[in-house]
Amino acid sequence: MYFTFQDFYNTLPLTIIGAGILLAIVIEIYSNKSEQILPWFSVIIYLLAASHSLATIFTREIYFNGMLGVGGNVHIFYAIFNIAGIIIALLSIDYIKKYGMYYGEYYILLMISILGMMFMASARDLFMVFLGLEVMSICFYAMAGLNRRLLKANESSLKYFLLGSFATGFLVYGVALIYGASNTTSFDVLRQNISSLTTNIMFLTGLLMLLIGLSFKIAAFPFHMWVPDVYQGTSTTVAGIFSTGGKAAAFSALVVIFSQVFGGSLNSFMPYLAIISVLSMFYGAIVAIAQTDIKRMLAYSSISHAGYIIIGLAASNNDGIAGVVFYLIAYTFMNLGAFGIVALVEGKNEENLTLSSYAGLSNKKPVYAALLAILMFALAGLPPFSGFFSKYYIFIAAVKSGLTWLAVLGVLSSTISVYFYIRIIVLMYFRDSEKDFDIHKSPIGLAAVIIAVIFVIALGIMPGDVLALITSNL
């Protein structure tokens, strides 16, 4: 079968990122001004890939002998990853200068990691899931320790590498068991034989191993142990992409597996999903209350949000899958904006990272305080922001699936989480600053945060249109 021009056009987002990586390497090798060129070059590459992905969203095809799919929600995920890349690249320009940690490989590694995320979202074969996961993860391990002058960065990189490799072992063993039971790794073939495979112990064990491997990447309890230390130790902008793009990529693989292989229904694993959902929600929300470091607080918040998203998978219906995709879009911009403000307020040598540092921020930087307040309201799930509708769609899907008890627990956990989000707003507006410190000016970084906040507000204004787009492409 010939690969036509139309086929090339449909897969162009992957080609754009791949070509961008090669050109970025050439720029880094031959240009003395790569530090100024690469951030803006990468932004252009991400913008081209995101624009093309959205323009061809209704073109749905399968390529490379059934290994890779394009169009539909795959392109929605492409857009999420690339817009996240734009925001991180803009935030990193001044953040890197602040720490004096410019290394040419930073933007190249970021671009390669996004290519890995795109592979995961478009996978139609278990080997493509593994390939995308490893491409993304290896870049993340290196990026975690990129600020190598800091001991914490080296420690976080090592922890992430060791536990990430452990998780990969689960995933690969799961793929091996699934192949042993079904003689295939293709999602299409698995779907055709799913009725007989769901009674096969080897297949179910392999699927459980696969879910455990991906649970590490989405930071679900009890596979969350790496998250607080890695987020705290690594650079703030890098932690931002870990908590958003990496999580969205792992969930995109789970969405594809559940929707393509099982048709959105796998009752055998509903109890497993429900249990890790409840544990993640409550553990993340309760432990976050005790944190005094804002990056650790956002890390435990990330664990809690993973629990909410898993509710959509446990619902095992199209409403749940659509709710998961919508949640991932909203969460990506909410969390990127939050980490962006933290990066802007953060001083040299990891200063101003305690919650008390945000006391009186409204007097020092009223724009920063206002943006962070919007993001905290959104993460807490308060209307009219996107965080409210994210949880609403997930909970409605659970109720429709007969999991009303899980939705009620989700609402209770969300109520608990309001405390530690609102606490930051109280500090910014109703407490006086304990010490004076200068906040490094970063117009480009501020613009990146504003972009994220615009998306948060826009998704809150027209959630129905976005959900309808997602649902029509399931």
Side-chain angles (χ1 to χ4, degrees):
M1 182 178 180
Y2 294 104
F3 197 69
T4 65
F5 176 79
Q6 184 62 42
D7 297 335
F8 173 77
Y9 180 77
N10 292 340
T11 57
L12 197 55
L14 293 169
T15 306
I16 290 171
I17 298 297
I21 293 166
L22 297 177
L23 288 172
I25 293 172
V26 172
I27 291 170
E28 175 59 30
I29 292 172
Y30 292 105
S31 175
N32 293 325
K33 297 183 178 180
S34 61
E35 184 176 354
Q36 290 80 36
I37 296 172
L38 281 182
W40 297 107
F41 172 77
S42 61
V43 166
I44 293 170
I45 292 295
Y46 298 140
L47 190 59
L48 289 173
S51 300
H52 187 280
S53 299
L54 293 175
T56 56
I57 196 170
F58 295 107
T59 303
R60 302 179 69 175
E61 299 289 345
I62 304 292
Y63 293 110
F64 304 114
N65 200 26
M67 298 282 283
L68 185 146
V70 298
N73 286 326
V74 170
H75 278 200
I76 292 177
F77 279 114
Y78 282 5
I80 295 172
F81 302 147
N82 283 282
I83 296 173
I86 291 172
I87 294 172
I88 291 297
L90 293 176
L91 284 169
S92 299
I93 293 173
D94 290 323
Y95 185 86
I96 284 175
K97 291 177 183 176
K98 185 192 301 184
Y99 273 95
M101 53 170 277
Y102 175 75
Y103 306 106
E105 61 267 26
Y106 177 84
Y107 294 102
I108 298 170
L109 286 170
L110 179 61
M111 209 177 294
I112 296 172
S113 70
I114 288 175
L115 182 63
M117 296 175 200
M118 293 168 72
F119 281 150
M120 290 183 72
S122 58
R124 290 297 180 272
D125 189 284
L126 290 172
F127 281 120
M128 281 299 298
V129 173
F130 171 71
L131 176 65
L133 180 68
E134 286 307 290
V135 169
M136 177 188 76
S137 297
I138 290 171
C139 293
F140 279 3
Y141 304 150
M143 291 170 70
L146 205 57
N147 193 3
R148 49 183 176 260
R149 297 174 184 173
L150 297 177
L151 183 62
K152 281 185 179 179
N154 296 320
E155 181 184 339
S156 67
S157 179
L158 183 60
K159 284 182 179 178
Y160 198 6
F161 169 69
L162 292 175
L163 290 171
S165 301
F166 183 63
T168 299
F170 275 98
L171 189 141
V172 172
Y173 189 49
V175 172
L177 291 176
I178 290 171
Y179 179 78
S182 62
N183 203 31
T184 184
T185 54
S186 168
F187 291 170
D188 288 337
V189 179
L190 288 171
R191 183 178 66 249
Q192 294 167 10
N193 300 292
I194 195 63
S195 57
S196 60
L197 289 172
T198 50
T199 58
N200 187 311
I201 297 299
M202 183 184 291
F203 175 80
L204 293 176
T205 303
L207 185 61
L208 178 61
M209 293 290 183
L210 183 69
L211 289 174
I212 289 173
L214 290 173
S215 293
F216 274 92
K217 298 302 176 183
I218 63 176
F221 185 94
F223 313 106
H224 66 283
M225 63 288 292
W226 59 274
V227 178
D229 290 340
V230 170
Y231 284 18
Q232 185 181 25
T234 193
S235 302
T236 303
T237 54
V238 174
I241 195 66
F242 288 177
S243 69
T244 54
K247 187 184 292 288
F251 268 113
S252 71
L254 287 170
V255 165
V256 171
I257 292 169
F258 274 80
S259 61
Q260 296 293 323
V261 178
F262 304 103
S265 177
L266 186 60
N267 294 329
S268 301
F269 281 88
M270 190 280 289
Y272 167 82
L273 293 171
I275 289 170
I276 65 171
S277 171
V278 171
L279 292 175
S280 298
M281 288 188 298
F282 281 94
Y283 178 83
I286 293 170
V287 179
I289 293 173
Q291 302 307 307
T292 57
D293 183 283
I294 193 164
K295 287 168 72 173
R296 289 187 74 86
M297 189 211 78
L298 288 173
Y300 284 105
S301 164
S302 175
I303 296 168
S304 183
H305 281 282
Y308 299 129
I309 302 172
I310 293 169
I311 292 177
L313 297 179
S316 298
N317 54 28
N318 284 340
D319 290 331
I321 297 297
V324 167
V325 178
F326 184 89
Y327 203 120
L328 290 170
I329 297 172
Y331 176 77
T332 295
F333 295 115
M334 291 186 295
N335 230 37
L336 279 177
F339 272 101
I341 292 293
V342 173
L344 294 176
V345 174
E346 181 181 348
K348 293 181 180 180
N349 301 318
E350 300 183 297
E351 298 168 346
N352 312 334
L353 288 174
T354 60
L355 294 182
S356 60
S357 301
Y358 288 79
L361 185 64
S362 60
N363 296 322
K364 298 176 185 176
K365 291 285 184 179
V367 175
Y368 287 15
L371 292 172
L372 186 56
I374 292 172
L375 294 163
M376 290 297 105
F377 281 131
L379 284 167
L382 300 178
F385 304 110
S386 57
F388 170 78
F389 293 100
S390 303
K391 292 179 180 178
Y392 173 77
Y393 292 138
I394 289 288
F395 296 156
I396 287 295
V399 171
K400 288 182 178 179
S401 187
L403 296 175
T404 306
W405 64 271
L406 188 56
V408 170
L409 290 176
V411 172
L412 180 59
S413 172
S414 186
T415 304
I416 296 171
S417 69
V418 168
Y419 171 79
F420 58 83
Y421 292 124
I422 300 301
R423 177 174 58 178
I424 295 178
I425 298 173
V426 170
L427 285 169
M428 291 191 299
Y429 285 95
F430 302 103
R431 296 287 187 273
D432 293 327
S433 178
E434 295 181 358
K435 61 177 181 178
D436 292 327
F437 56 85
D438 293 328
I439 296 176
H440 182 75
K441 292 183 179 179
S442 176
I444 299 171
L446 179 59
V449 175
I450 290 172
I451 292 170
V453 171
I454 289 172
F455 274 103
V456 170
I457 295 172
L459 288 168
I461 294 173
M462 49 183 185
D465 295 333
V466 177
L467 189 71
L469 178 65
I470 295 167
T471 304
S472 65
N473 284 290
L474 287 177

